[in-house]
Amino acid sequence: MRHQALVRVAVDRPLDQLFDYACPVGPLPEPGQRVRVTFGRSEQTAVVMETGQPPAVDRARIRPLERILDPGPILSGPILELLRFASRYYHHPIGETVLNALPPALRKGAPLPSPAAAEPQWRLRPAQAHPRLGPRQRAIVQGLETSGTALALHALADLTGLALRRAELKRLADLRVVEAVAHEPAAPPSASPPVALTPDQRQAVTAIEAELGTPAALLLDGVTGSGKTEVYLEAAATAIARGLQVLVLVPEIALTPQLVRRVSQRFPGQVAALHSGLPAGERLRVWDAARRGARALLLGTRSALFTPLPALGLLIVDEEHDPAYKQQDGLRYHARDLAIMRGHIESVPVVLGSATPTLESLAKARDGHYRHLPLGTRPDGSLPPPVRCVDTRVHRTDEGLTTPLLDAMRTTLAGGRQCFVLLNRRGFARVLACEHCGWVADCPHCDARLTVHAAAHRSICHLCGFTQPLAEHCPECGQLLSRQGLGTQRLERALSRHFAGVPLVRLDRDSIRRRGELERCLEAIRQMDAGIVVGTQMLAKGHDFPRVGLVGVIDVDQGLFSVDLRAAEQTLQLVQQAAGRAGRSGDPGIVLVQTGHPEHPLMQALQRGDYASMVAPLLAERRAAGMPPFGFLALVRVDGPSAESSARQAEEIARQLRRHARGVRVLGPAPAPRHRVNRRYREQILLASPTRKALHQTLAVARDGWQQHPPPRNLRVSIDVDPATLA
C-alpha cells in the first residue's frame, strides 16, 4: 500500500517540536512554504520545515494538510537555517520562532500581495510653470526632482521626511504637477559620494568592499561625527552596483528619520523601510518587495533581520551598542549576534558601527575575531567637545539646574547656538508623596512608584501602563501632596522660567505620540527654530544638528551605582553619544555633566575623553568576575499570580539545573529586582559559565525535564540567554 507523502511543519505554539501532516494529491510543498493545518480544534497557519522524513507518530494519527497557501517557498533556506539556530541558541520553541519571523498578515494566512497590484508611483510632469505651492507640496516636488525617477508613496515619504498622505499627491495631480505611473525603473545610485571621504573613511570602505562575498565581521569604531554613515553608503553603493542587496539594521527606525531620508536620497526608489510602525498591509508589501529582490536596500529594525533577500551582499548594524537590538520578550534574541550568524550562513560581510561599541564587540575586535576599522577624526577636522563635571555637592540645583550649567547655556544662546539638555526620565516628577504622613503613590499592580504627568493630569506606571487621575491631597491625612524628583516635563518648565522667550522643544515619547510630530520636532531643531532642546535618550540617537554648542546631562549618577551588570557601560555610552551632538561643523562645543561624584573613575574617564580608556577598568572588572565578554550568562525567569507559587516553581527548576550543571554556577532563585509587574510575581535564576557549551548543555537537559513535567498553566517559565539586563 502506497502511503501519502508527509511534511513536517512548524506551528505557532509554545511546543518545541515539529508536527507531521499528510499531503494531498498534487505537488509536494517545499520547506519555507506556508500551509493551513488543523491543530487541535482550530485551523492554524504553519510553515513547512522538512519533507521526506519518516513519521514521528503512527500514520493512522496523522492528519492531512488543509491547503497550501503559497506557490513556492517564501522563507529561503538560509533564513530557515538561521531560525533553527535561533531556536536552539535561545532555547525557544521552534514554531514560535519561525512564525514570528513572518509579517503579521502572513501569520494569519493572508495571501502574498500581487506584484501587479503594487501601489502606483508618482513622477513630475514635463517642465512647466508650477502653480503656487505650499511648503509640503514644494518638498514633494523637490524630492521627485532629487530622485530623478518615479517613486511610490512610502519611498517619497522616506525621501522627504514627511508623513505623506495619498490625498496630497492626488491634489498635486489635479494641479497637473505630478502624475501616477504603473512602474518605472529605479534610478541607479550616485556614482560618487556627495562628499569627499577622509583617508580613514576610504580605508574603511576599501576594507569592507574587499570582504564582499565572505563571512567577515568588521567593527567600524568611529568617534561621534566621524562619518560612519558615509562609509555605509559608499560600501552599499559598491554592493548594489554588483547586483547585490544590502540590509541595514537600525535600533529604532521611528527615532532615525534622518538616516532613512539620507539613504533614500542616495538610492532613490531602491529603499524599503520595514518596521512595526507601518500599517499591516504596507508592511507586507515592503517585506514582499524585498523578498522578491525588487528593492536593493532594506532598512529596518531588529525584526527585519529575518527578511529573505535573494541577493544579500552586505549587512550593516548601525549603533550596534544600542540595547534596543535585544528583544525582551518571546524569543529573546539579540539582532546584532544573529546578524553575525546570518553573515556566516550566507557568506556576507557584517559591519557593526558605533562610536561607543559594546564591551563584547571591543573584546572580539582586540582578539582578532572582528576586523577593527577605526575612524579617529571628524571629516571637518573638529574635535569631539570636552566633557566637564559640575559637582552638585558644591553647586545647589534649582529644579535640577546648577548655576554653572545655566551660565554656560546663556553664553551658548548668546552666540547663536543651541543647547541640548538630557534627562533620561520622562514625566513631570518621579514620586507623588505626602511629606506629612509619608504616604507614597504606588502602582497597585507593580513594585513601582507612579510617575507624575502634570500635562495630562495623570499618575502613570511606566511598567504596566496603569493610570489614574492626579491627586492633589493625601488620601491618608488630607494634606497637600508633594511632587518629588525630576522628569523632562518639570525640566522643561524650569528652563522656560530661566529662559523666557527662548524657543524650547521637548523630545521624549510623550511629546511625539501623534503621527508626524517627531519629524516636526526634528525639523524645528534643524532649522534653529528651537534654542533649547530638552529630552530623554532620544536626543542621543545619531541625529546630526550642526549648531549645537552645549550638551548638559542631568542626574547621571543613577547609572553609576546600579546593581545591573551593564549600567555603568550604558551610562558611558549614553553620555558619549549625547556629547557627540555638540561641536559639529567646526563650531566648538562643550558638555557639562552634573554629578555628585566627580571623583568616580567613570566621571574621570569621561573628562579624559578617550572611550577606550573609559571602558578599560570595566573590562578588567568583567574579566576578574568571569562576566561577559569573558564568561557566559543566562537567566531563567518564573512568573506567576502569587509570590509563593513562583518561588516554589523556581526552587524546583533550580534543583533541576544544579543536578545537571557541569562547570556552571547556578545562583538563586531570588526575587527579580522588579518583583511584581502587572500583578505577576517574578523569580529568577542566574546561570554563569566560563564556556558557552557547558551553559547550553545544562539549559538543554534541564529544559527537557521541565517540558516533560510542565509547570501549572498559570506559571510561565522563560529563558534569556546573554541577557542585556539582570533586572
Side-chain angles (χ1 to χ4, degrees), residues 64-388:
L65 295 177
E66 297 298 329
R67 59 188 181 279
I68 300 172
L69 296 178
D70 304 314
I74 63 170
L75 290 177
S76 62
I79 292 297
L80 291 178
E81 185 178 348
L82 178 68
L83 293 169
R84 288 191 189 96
F85 170 82
S87 174
R88 292 193 307 270
Y89 186 84
Y90 293 103
H91 297 270
H92 195 74
I94 182 66
E96 288 185 347
T97 301
V98 172
L99 270 295
N100 280 276
L102 295 172
L106 294 183
R107 286 178 230 156
K108 297 175 182 176
L112 289 168
S114 168
E119 63 173 306
Q121 294 179 312
W122 302 86
R123 70 181 179 191
L124 289 174
R125 284 182 171 271
Q128 57 180 311
H130 290 154
R132 189 170 182 177
L133 302 176
R136 291 174 65 88
Q137 293 173 323
R138 288 197 301 272
I140 293 171
V141 171
Q142 184 179 359
L144 290 172
E145 287 174 344
T146 300
S147 72
T149 186
L151 297 176
L153 175 66
H154 73 272
L156 188 54
D158 291 341
L159 184 64
T160 59
L162 301 173
L164 297 177
R165 299 181 298 275
R166 194 181 304 275
E168 293 178 277
L169 289 167
K170 288 184 176 179
R171 172 61 179 158
L172 282 174
D174 293 340
L175 295 172
R176 303 187 62 77
V177 174
V178 303
E179 60 184 353
V181 293
H183 179 74
E184 189 170 287
S190 54
S192 59
V195 297
L197 298 180
T198 66
D200 280 354
Q201 287 176 315
R202 175 52 59 192
Q203 188 174 0
V205 170
T206 301
I208 296 168
E209 291 172 345
E211 299 290 358
L212 292 176
T214 66
L218 307 98
L219 177 62
L220 186 62
D221 177 7
V223 298
T224 52
S226 59
K228 292 182 290 296
T229 303
E230 281 304 324
V231 173
Y232 301 154
L233 296 180
E234 186 67 1
T238 300
I240 292 171
R242 297 183 187 180
L244 302 173
Q245 289 175 288
V246 178
L247 173 59
V248 180
L249 296 182
V250 294
E252 297 178 70
I253 204 163
L255 304 182
T256 52
Q258 183 172 281
L259 178 61
V260 178
R261 185 176 182 181
R262 210 165 147 189
V263 173
S264 299
Q265 288 173 343
R266 186 73 183 275
F267 307 102
Q270 301 186 68
V271 178
L274 185 64
H275 53 94
S276 59
L278 294 173
E282 179 62 22
R283 188 174 177 182
L284 176 56
R285 283 192 293 271
V286 169
W287 183 89
D288 189 58
R291 179 191 69 88
R292 291 185 286 103
R295 293 289 183 271
L297 191 147
L298 177 64
L299 192 150
T301 46
R302 58 176 180 256
S303 61
L305 175 68
F306 302 113
T307 304
L309 298 169
L312 180 62
L314 178 63
L315 207 164
I316 296 167
V317 183
D318 187 34
E319 307 292 358
E320 67 89 22
H321 68 276
D322 199 297
Y325 283 121
K326 174 70 173 179
Q327 174 78 20
Q328 296 295 350
D329 55 17
L331 174 64
R332 290 170 166 82
Y333 68 96
H334 200 299
R336 177 203 60 213
D337 299 340
L338 286 188
I340 298 293
M341 177 52 65
R342 182 169 183 179
H344 176 76
I345 292 170
E346 301 197 47
S347 291
V348 167
V350 181
V351 179
L352 310 178
S354 177
T356 54
T358 59
L359 300 189
E360 286 85 350
S361 295
L362 278 176
K364 289 185 177 181
R366 292 173 181 178
D367 292 343
H369 294 101
Y370 296 168
R371 184 169 178 181
H372 196 189
L373 305 177
L375 297 178
T377 59
R378 290 176 167 180
D380 59 7
S382 64
L383 296 174
V387 177
R388 300 286 181 265

Side-chain angles (χ1 to χ4, degrees), residues 661-674:
R662 298 292 182 271
V664 177
R665 286 184 295 156
V666 180
L667 308 175
R674 293 171 176 168

Side-chain angles (χ1 to χ4, degrees), residues 450-726:
L450 294 178
T451 300
V452 177
H453 285 250
H457 205 71
R458 310 288 293 179
S459 296
I460 301 174
C461 176
H462 288 174
L463 290 182
C464 72
F466 172 82
T467 179
Q468 66 182 22
L470 187 60
E472 297 293 339
H473 295 86
C474 177
E476 298 291 334
C477 67
Q479 297 293 319
L480 280 173
L481 292 173
S482 170
R483 302 173 183 184
Q484 301 173 3
L486 275 177
T488 49
Q489 294 176 12
R490 187 169 195 167
L491 194 57
E492 177 187 27
R493 187 187 70 175
L495 288 167
S496 297
R497 174 166 52 83
H498 282 284
F499 299 95
V502 176
L504 190 151
V505 166
R506 176 166 54 86
L507 193 61
D508 58 24
R509 293 197 178 277
D510 297 320
S511 66
I512 59 165
R513 292 189 183 278
R514 288 180 295 180
R515 185 178 179 183
E517 194 65 24
L518 174 62
E519 290 81 359
R520 187 195 66 76
C521 288
L522 296 179
E523 189 61 25
I525 299 168
R526 198 171 293 113
Q527 297 298 326
M528 290 293 291
D529 293 335
I532 300 173
V533 184
V534 57
T536 57
Q537 61 179 335
M538 295 172 64
L539 291 180
K541 291 288 183 179
H543 306 297
D544 185 9
F545 302 117
R547 297 291 294 166
V548 179
L550 178 143
V551 172
V553 183
I554 311 295
D555 195 14
V556 74
D557 296 342
Q558 58 182 317
L560 297 181
F561 302 102
S562 172
V563 296
D564 199 273
L565 173 68
R566 291 182 171 84
E569 176 189 0
Q570 291 174 354
T571 297
L572 279 179
Q573 290 166 343
L574 178 61
V575 175
Q576 282 290 97
Q577 291 286 338
R581 302 316 110 202
R584 299 194 176 205
S585 299
D587 284 338
I590 189 171
V591 180
L592 295 181
V593 179
Q594 295 189 169
T595 174
H597 304 275
E599 72 287 347
H600 192 284
L602 293 186
M603 293 296 98
Q604 294 293 314
L606 273 171
Q607 294 182 87
R608 288 194 295 270
D610 178 15
Y611 184 70
S613 68
M614 294 180 204
V615 299
L618 297 181
L619 281 167
E621 289 175 8
R622 299 272 190 93
R623 186 186 294 274
M627 293 288 107
F630 308 105
F632 304 93
L633 300 178
L635 272 177
V636 178
R637 293 188 175 99
V638 178
D639 74 88
S642 72
E644 294 77 13
S645 61
S646 295
R648 280 196 304 270
Q649 185 64 41
E651 288 284 0
E652 175 58 30
I653 289 175
R655 279 194 292 271
Q656 295 177 28
L657 288 166
R658 289 190 175 94
R659 190 179 309 132
H660 302 293
R662 298 292 182 271
V664 177
R665 286 184 295 156
V666 180
L667 308 175
R674 293 171 176 168
H675 189 208
R676 184 174 56 123
V677 175
N678 204 11
R679 303 182 186 181
R680 295 184 68 85
Y681 294 82
R682 310 189 306 166
E683 299 279 327
Q684 61 188 35
I685 306 158
L686 178 65
L687 283 74
S689 173
T691 66
R692 183 180 276 123
K693 183 178 180 180
L695 181 72
H696 284 277
Q697 286 177 340
T698 300
L699 282 171
V701 175
R703 184 165 171 249
D704 285 344
W706 75 65
Q707 285 190 329
Q708 306 237 345
H709 305 284
R713 290 193 172 187
N714 61 355
L715 292 173
R716 294 193 292 254
V717 180
S718 63
I719 297 174
D720 188 357
V721 177
D722 303 332
T725 175
L726 303 184

